[in-house]
Amino acid sequence: MNDRILSLLGICKRAGKLITGADTTIDSIRKSKAKLVIFANDFSKSSKKSVQTAADECNVKTLTMNRSKEEIGFALGKICGVMTTEDKGFADKLEQLIENESGGELYDKI
């Protein structure tokens, strides 16, 4: 796999520091464990709103990466549209890679 973002997400998952799914992501945010929330570009807007609200309330940064749920699923072995990392090092590197890919331009919040 040549995709650095998806490769890093796979490493993060194997390290046990990646939480996938809307409900578990919200739970991680509310327990102050989440360091960065990442959305797939085709994640449903209605589900995104509840996760985004929780992240905003707890001051957790959110990013949307230019990958579909299917692409993420191929890398992680599980289709998911939202995930969070509970490790600062992984969060910092993922944020850097996603922002560099988008030209420093972050995707819109809801």
Side-chain angles (χ1 to χ4, degrees), residues 7-93:
S7 293
L8 188 57
L9 286 173
I11 293 167
C12 187
K13 179 184 177 194
R14 287 188 295 282
K17 297 297 183 180
L18 188 71
I19 305 299
T20 58
D23 292 337
T24 52
T25 294
I26 291 170
D27 189 46
S28 178
I29 292 168
R30 292 202 170 126
K31 290 181 177 177
S32 300
K33 292 181 179 181
K35 306 299 181 211
L36 175 68
V37 175
I38 304 169
F39 296 105
N41 61 6
D42 59 350
F43 189 59
S44 92
K45 292 187 189 288
S46 61
S47 296
K48 186 174 182 177
K49 188 172 184 175
S50 62
V51 175
Q52 185 69 58
T53 299
D56 290 345
E57 288 171 359
C58 297
N59 296 318
V60 177
K61 187 169 190 165
T62 62
L63 296 174
T64 300
M65 66 175 158
N66 192 23
R67 306 290 183 290
S68 68
K69 293 185 288 188
E70 188 174 304
E71 291 170 305
I72 296 166
F74 181 75
L76 301 180
K78 176 182 177 181
I79 293 178
C80 65
V82 63
M83 64 215 81
T84 187
T85 180
E86 294 183 339
D87 180 86
K88 177 92 168 96
F90 282 123
D92 291 344
K93 187 61 178 178

